[in-house]
Amino acid sequence: MAYLLLALAAIFWGGNYVVGHILVQYVDPYGLSLIRWGATTALMLALYWRRCSVDFSALRKNLGINTLLSFLGQVSFPLSLYIGLQYTTSLNAAIYISSTPCLVLLINHFIFHERISARNIIGVISSTGGVLYLAFSSSGGNIKTFGLGD
């Protein structure tokens, strides 16, 4: 079951770039983001209404941080993705997101003061190498072929 769920997560995440690239040709990125998260909110409330009602006081008590994190993670990221998909391919957008491990490591180090291990550095170097390889192989090795969304 775990492998099925991991495969579905990869399919949904990867599919978001392809479907998003198609949809932004017909729907404004702001509207697309609103539709996506409005439907997700309705589904989550339908599935977890009892749990949310039990934890409502804790949610309300932490409303400020919950709002900030929701805005940064659930609104800003997909919105910037859909805006970028108007100007680049879904492959290039997926290459961009593959830089996430490096960014998470840096954020954890500088904000949360976590120690960076040798394994972390090796992982970031290999991840960054893969991103650079994909980026330059898709552009024919010429940085001048990158467009606005890239």
Side-chain angles (χ1 to χ4, degrees):
M1 182 66 165
Y3 292 114
L4 173 65
L5 294 175
L6 285 172
L8 286 174
I11 289 168
F12 290 137
W13 285 329
N16 182 39
Y17 297 99
V18 176
V19 172
H21 183 68
I22 294 168
L23 290 178
V24 294
Q25 296 173 18
Y26 304 104
V27 181
D28 180 61
Y30 299 98
L32 185 58
S33 187
L34 182 66
I35 291 167
R36 174 187 174 174
W37 290 112
T40 302
T41 301
L43 178 64
M44 295 302 283
L45 283 175
L47 293 173
Y48 298 106
W49 178 252
R50 285 190 182 146
R51 186 75 219 170
C52 286
S53 63
V54 169
D55 293 335
F56 186 73
S57 63
L59 292 170
R60 190 177 61 203
K61 181 176 136 185
N62 299 305
L63 185 63
I65 192 69
N66 286 337
T67 302
L68 175 67
L69 293 175
S70 296
F71 177 74
L72 292 175
Q74 303 302 324
V75 175
S76 297
F77 171 74
L79 184 58
S80 63
L81 170 68
Y82 295 143
I83 290 170
L85 283 172
Q86 291 179 309
Y87 304 103
T88 191
T89 65
S90 53
L91 175 63
N92 286 346
I95 291 170
Y96 157 76
I97 198 62
S98 63
S99 65
T100 299
C102 180
L103 295 174
V104 168
L105 182 69
L106 292 173
I107 289 168
N108 283 339
H109 177 70
F110 289 112
I111 294 178
F112 301 112
H113 308 291
E114 289 188 8
R115 191 174 85 65
I116 298 176
S117 69
R119 257 175 77 181
N120 295 136
I121 293 171
I122 292 169
V124 165
I125 290 171
S126 64
S127 174
T128 304
V131 169
L132 291 173
Y133 172 77
L134 290 173
F136 285 109
S137 67
S138 68
S139 70
N142 185 356
I143 199 161
K144 292 180 181 178
T145 62
F146 287 106
L148 176 65
D150 301 332

